[in-house]
Every structure is written in C-alpha cells, then in structure tokens.
Amino acid sequence: MRHALAAAAALTLTLTLTLAAPAARAQVSGLDLNRFDGTWFEIARSPNDVQKDCSRAQIDFTATNRADRYGLTVTCTRRADGRNETLRATARIDADNNAKFRFTLRGALSFGGLAGQNYWVYAHAPDYSWAILALPNKSDWWIWHRSQSPSAAVRSQTLARARQLGLDTSRVVTTGG
C-alpha cells in the first residue's frame, strides 16, 4: 500500500512539474524581417489535415504599414485536380521575440480574429534561403525555401536540421518541385 501511495505521489509530482514547465523557446531571435519577407515555397512539412491534399504551397510574406504586422497569402495547389486555393492571413509579430508570429485568417474565415495559430521560426539559413517553422509545441512543422525546387542535398540538410530541433520527421510530406 505504501509503495502504491509513493508511486502515486511521485507521478503527481512529475505531472505537476511537467505541466508547470515553461514552453520551449523559439530557437531564433532577432530575425531580420526585411530579409524574411518575400516569396517562400513549402518543400516539406509534417502531415496535417488542413494541407492533406496540397501538393505545392507558395507563401507570400509581405510587410504592411504597421511595424508589427505582415500580410500572408498562401496558395495551395491541390493534388487531385491541380486547382489553386488561396488563403489570406495576417501575421502579428511578437513584441518580445520577432521570430514568433500569430497568423490570423482574414475575411469570412477569420471569425472576428479568433481563427489564428502561433508559429515560431526555429531555424533559418544565414542568407535566408530556407526557414523551419513549427507550432510552439512542435506538433506541426514546415520547411520553407526561396526556391520551389531546391536540390536533394538542400532538402536532406534542412530535414536533418529539423530532426536536430526535435521535430518528428518520420512521416515527412515532401512538397514542391
């Protein structure tokens, strides 16, 4: 009986400490947003329901007239019929770490700004040719590249970097050219 109580107490303490632990920090700080804006192509991602039929995604990340806001246009080419779907969103930059964004859909799908998600930039190339973004808990992630068809070596290197960051690449979805 004492062992069961001790085990239960240890489990409770472990859960309490785990739940109270701060969230993982973004790996990047001081992102140069002037170099981050522009056109990106998704070259790999984790599987997710929203993009399950997307064979190619282009992301246009554009400065707005507000220093803490960017516009996003995401164009997804569907596998089944090659049709393009476009989503528009706003990225609000975190005041404490500009490598953290909150993307909120624009238009009818925004539900008054409630339809949003936090994304963190976990790594990027020194020349801003690629970037790895993920949700703060790393459950979903994306690799963006400036080229729609980077070399196999670049794809391999960025996936290796994603693994180093603790992202689950066991079921990677390869997209783009």
Side-chain angles (χ1 to χ4, degrees):
M1 178 78 165
R2 274 197 270 186
H3 292 302
L5 287 175
L11 177 61
T12 301
L13 179 61
T14 300
L15 286 174
T16 301
L17 291 175
T18 301
L19 294 175
R25 292 193 171 159
Q27 300 299 311
V28 172
S29 62
L31 193 68
D32 183 347
L33 292 170
N34 290 323
R35 296 185 70 195
F36 195 80
D37 66 357
T39 299
W40 295 90
F41 298 94
E42 177 192 272
I43 62 168
R45 69 170 183 266
S46 60
N48 64 68
D49 289 338
V50 174
Q51 291 182 286
K52 66 183 169 191
D53 187 39
C54 191
S55 64
R56 177 186 173 274
Q58 176 178 321
I59 304 93
D60 292 299
F61 195 84
T62 310
T64 67
N65 59 354
R66 290 187 57 184
D68 67 338
R69 299 280 196 280
Y70 277 75
L72 272 91
T73 302
V74 180
T75 305
C76 169
T77 303
R78 295 291 173 187
R79 293 181 202 281
D81 57 10
R83 182 174 46 93
N84 286 332
E85 290 182 1
T86 302
L87 285 175
R88 291 184 182 7
T90 300
R92 187 182 78 230
I93 310 304
D94 185 283
D96 296 326
N97 182 341
N98 71 348
K100 297 178 181 181
F101 312 123
R102 175 146 183 94
F103 292 179
T104 305
L105 293 174
R106 289 192 295 200
L109 295 175
S110 73
F111 300 104
L114 298 175
Q117 181 68 52
N118 294 317
Y119 295 85
W120 292 0
V121 178
Y122 278 89
H124 66 81
D127 65 356
Y128 287 76
S129 60
W130 58 262
I132 299 173
L133 290 82
L135 300 183
N137 67 4
K138 298 183 179 181
S139 61
D140 288 325
W141 56 268
W142 298 263
I143 298 176
W144 291 0
H145 199 279
R146 294 295 186 173
S147 168
Q148 184 176 345
S149 302
S151 69
V154 167
R155 286 178 183 271
S156 179
Q157 290 167 352
T158 55
L159 277 172
R161 181 69 177 119
R163 276 190 294 281
Q164 288 174 345
L165 292 166
L167 303 174
D168 179 4
T169 62
S170 65
R171 298 183 315 131
V172 65
V173 176
T174 302
T175 56

